[in-house]
Amino acid sequence: MRTPFIAANWKMYKTVHEAVAFVKEIRPMVKDVHDVEIVIAPPLTSVRPVVEAAHASNIGVAAQNMYWEREGAFTGEVSAPMIKETGAEYVIIGHSERRGLFGETDHTVNRKLTAALAAQLTPIVCIGETLDEREREETLTILDRQIKEGLDGLTADHIAGLVVAYEPVWAIGTGRNATPQQAGEAHAHIRGRLRQWFGGLAADQCHVIYGGSVKADNIRDLASIPDVDGALVGGASLDVRGFFEIITRSRPAAAV
Ligand code: PEP
């Protein structure tokens, strides 16, 4: 049984002051939530302050991006060991905004994943089709390519500890959700490929979460889909109450 995994992707929102205030407010609200893994990915300037504000709590911290080299003349970049040094345990890799706006490809995603794992960070790797690709009925082919090339060279042990975020690009920040049928089909397909290419044990342990306009009023339906293990939440994670509601409503039914 996989523990639901709920991650907040704050994108380029919140100052250090706002980020720390958020964590101080939500921390006591979630202190008894032991049946959901909670992660916050603030902008890079707030990663260390959020690690400190979340110290000894059940809130994990993620960076939103990284570069694959350890160090060097790469102005503006940070490496996996540098993120690890902040105390963050997770890193988002290959978000569709990075693919679409900053030219990331399955190849660069693969290099980043490999470097993150070598630094003992847990990657949250994003995959998903654009609207054009869905309309051309290429969704499953695109997912296959992103999994095959993005996860190339990873071992079954790596996959077991990985978080894969299925994020249909047309559902991110648009208020448009995948239907339960669309999300269910994509998640079952991803799990099937992980099983086929990395083995049953790894596929059963890997978290496959959904992202795309997740809110308090749709998380229950999404989280109840087989093979959906939680959510990567953008806009709706910026508000303490809204994010807390999403966490609460994704708890396994028996525990709520
Ligand atoms: C995201 O940033 O990964 C995301 C899913 O954003 P939103 O929830 O705003 O669609």
Side-chain angles (χ1 to χ4, degrees):
M1 183 69 185
R2 295 173 293 271
T3 309
F5 187 101
I6 300 291
N9 175 19
W10 283 352
K11 312 189 189 210
M12 202 172 73
Y13 291 102
K14 294 195 189 292
T15 62
V16 173
H17 179 78
E18 290 164 345
V20 168
F22 182 109
V23 175
K24 285 187 176 160
E25 192 176 345
I26 202 164
R27 190 185 158 130
M29 295 162 78
V30 298
K31 72 175 183 350
D32 296 324
V33 178
H34 301 297
D35 48 6
V36 178
E37 283 185 55
I38 304 164
V39 172
I40 292 176
L44 189 60
T45 47
S46 295
V47 168
R48 177 68 192 169
V50 165
V51 165
E52 284 167 3
H55 178 69
S57 76
N58 52 343
I59 301 169
V61 183
Q64 297 177 14
N65 182 33
M66 52 160 276
Y67 193 55
W68 57 79
E69 297 288 353
R70 281 187 71 84
E71 60 182 9
F74 304 106
T75 302
E77 297 293 330
V78 293
S79 70
M82 290 169 182
I83 292 168
K84 184 74 181 173
E85 190 193 19
T86 65
E89 299 167 86
Y90 302 85
V91 59
I92 299 174
I93 293 178
H95 191 279
S96 65
E97 286 152 15
R98 300 237 34 109
R99 294 178 190 253
L101 299 172
F102 301 100
E104 296 203 7
T105 63
D106 294 322
H107 175 69
T108 61
V109 165
N110 183 254
R111 294 197 73 171
K112 290 184 178 196
L113 269 178
T114 307
L117 289 163
Q120 319 247 290
L121 289 167
T122 298
I124 301 169
V125 59
C126 303
I127 59 176
E129 80 288 358
T130 63
L131 187 57
D132 278 357
E133 289 162 347
R134 176 158 285 273
E135 284 173 348
R136 290 199 300 266
E137 300 188 1
E138 291 172 2
T139 298
L140 304 185
T141 313
I142 296 296
L143 294 178
D144 282 354
R145 193 205 67 217
Q146 291 173 332
I147 298 168
K148 201 173 224 350
E149 295 179 15
L151 309 190
D152 185 40
L154 269 57
T155 65
D157 278 354
H158 291 146
I159 299 300
L162 198 65
V163 181
V164 176
Y166 168 62
E167 300 206 301
V169 180
W170 47 272
I172 297 179
T174 58
R176 235 181 114 173
N177 274 123
T179 63
Q181 197 204 340
Q182 288 169 325
E185 182 194 30
H187 279 249
H189 183 80
I190 293 163
R191 183 93 54 205
R193 287 300 192 227
L194 294 175
R195 181 165 287 118
Q196 186 182 350
W197 291 332
F198 297 97
L201 200 58
D204 286 344
Q205 290 179 1
C206 180
H207 280 85
V208 184
I209 63 175
Y210 173 82
S213 300
V214 171
K215 298 185 176 57
D217 60 11
N218 59 28
I219 184 65
R220 233 195 271 273
D221 286 346
L222 288 161
S224 67
I225 300 168
D227 284 313
V228 174
D229 304 322
L232 182 56
V233 188
S237 71
L238 293 167
D239 170 68
V240 175
R241 278 259 134 228
F243 189 51
F244 175 66
E245 272 306 315
I246 289 170
I247 294 166
T248 303
R249 294 180 190 188
S250 65
R251 296 180 74 177
V256 179

